Amino acid sequence: MLMVRNRVYKTDAVVLKQMPLGETNRIITFYTREYGKIAAVARGVRRPGSKFGGSLEILNHVEAAFGRGRSLDSVNECVVINSYKYLRQNLTAIAQGIYIAELVDIFGEDRSANIRLFEILSETLSNLDRYENSEFWVLWFEFRLLHFSGFLPEFIDCVECRSPLDRSDHTFNPVAGGILCPLCADSDVNDQSWVVSVTGLTVLRYFQRSLELTLGQADADISVVDLLDVKTFLRIYMRYIAERDFKSTGFLDLIKFKNN
Ligand SMILES: [Zn+2]
């Protein structure tokens, strides 16, 4: 049976990146609510007075209509839902917004919807738009990105023997995918393991218990010092995933850039 597909389709989307094409066009990469990651041509967007105006700026939350093409789809219409104007007035927030857009570009699959990924992307941009606790919102985004992409490790019980972990520093083994109790850590011979501090583990467990919740500004009021170990943990673990599963040099550059 022939697959019948609509010639045009419409969806909520966030603009992840853009690339010039020819004299007047751009290829725009979107993360959409209903179709996952989509690249489409915006024709004439670089002409003065283009019908798109500023609607295709990176990080805009838009409603866009697409037309199917033989090789690439095209953007027919684009209406801005939120341009995050306060975020755009703050260089740190812009850099953080672009960082999460680049992560979604790497973790998001082409034409495969992941509604939770779309939701945490637009929710995080809204939180960054309010300035406060931006470091927290980026880490909370990274944690849920790992979860909704199927890479989240275990922090509550020992990943090897399932015994509960006491409140202290513990060894993390990325190959086993979680924290080890002291007994299992003694027999752990993996040279990629590292120790995560009790401060870091407390926040990571708080994140893990909160996965089904929507956190607000009051929940995000954790000191930047207490977040340092979480940041270190997430960066090392994401680099490990990058090398193992994505082999993405762009991703490694991105993480290195964030570490500086
Ligand atoms: Zn154990």
Side-chain angles (χ1 to χ4, degrees), residues 158 160-161 163 181 184:
C158 170
E160 293 287 4
C161 71
S163 59
C181 71
C184 292

Side-chain angles (χ1 to χ4, degrees), residues 188-241:
D188 178 38
V189 290
N190 189 313
D191 60 3
Q192 285 175 299
S193 297
W194 71 90
V195 173
V196 186
S197 75
V198 63
T199 319
L201 278 173
T202 304
V203 179
L204 288 165
R205 285 180 185 143
Y206 167 64
F207 279 172
Q208 191 159 16
R209 285 193 306 269
S210 307
L211 276 169
E212 297 308 318
L213 308 175
T214 303
L215 299 184
Q217 291 293 347
D219 306 301
D221 193 15
I222 297 177
S223 82
V224 174
V225 177
D226 284 348
L227 291 176
L228 256 183
D229 290 342
V230 180
K231 183 173 174 177
T232 307
F233 172 83
L234 287 171
R235 296 295 140 77
I236 300 176
Y237 183 60
M238 286 174 103
R239 177 180 291 194
Y240 170 80
I241 299 272

Side-chain angles (χ1 to χ4, degrees), residues 18-28 40-46 71-73:
Q18 30 175 275
M19 219 170 60
L21 176 74
E23 293 279 299
T24 59
N25 311 326
R26 277 203 173 100
I27 296 180
I28 313 284
V41 188
R43 293 206 164 74
V45 66
R46 290 157 75 203
S71 53
L72 264 177
D73 291 358

Side-chain angles (χ1 to χ4, degrees), residues 28-168:
I28 313 284
T29 304
F30 298 88
Y31 197 76
T32 70
R33 184 191 292 275
E34 280 149 85
Y35 306 94
K37 196 167 76 170
I38 287 179
V41 188
R43 293 206 164 74
V45 66
R46 290 157 75 203
R47 272 197 204 108
S50 148
K51 67 174 176 182
F52 293 112
S55 66
L56 293 168
E57 288 289 316
I58 290 172
L59 303 183
N60 273 359
H61 180 180
V62 298
E63 185 182 59
F66 299 91
R68 295 197 194 275
R70 253 183 236 133
S71 53
L72 264 177
D73 291 358
S74 55
V75 189
N76 291 350
E77 281 171 53
C78 186
V79 178
V80 177
I81 294 173
N82 195 339
S83 63
Y84 307 109
K85 64 175 182 175
Y86 297 109
L87 180 158
R88 286 176 204 282
Q89 292 166 16
N90 179 313
L91 281 179
T92 306
I94 292 172
Q96 288 168 324
I98 290 174
Y99 172 67
I100 66 165
E102 287 176 347
L103 287 178
V104 171
D105 187 30
I106 291 162
F107 280 77
E109 291 179 55
D110 288 329
R111 301 206 172 263
S112 169
N114 184 336
I115 292 175
R116 300 303 297 271
L117 181 52
F118 176 82
E119 284 172 348
I120 61 170
L121 170 63
S122 60
E123 181 200 300
T124 304
L125 291 172
S126 296
N127 283 323
L128 292 176
D129 199 36
R130 292 187 199 104
Y131 283 172
E132 289 170 273
N133 305 313
S134 64
E135 188 80 4
F136 176 92
W137 294 121
V138 173
L139 297 173
W140 177 225
F141 172 83
E142 290 176 323
F143 190 89
R144 290 183 297 169
L145 174 73
L146 289 171
H147 176 59
F148 295 129
S149 313
F151 293 109
L152 190 65
E154 169 65 48
F155 301 106
I156 311 277
D157 298 323
C158 170
V159 70
E160 293 287 4
C161 71
R162 311 311 300 176
S163 59
L165 300 162
D166 59 357
R167 266 187 64 85
S168 56

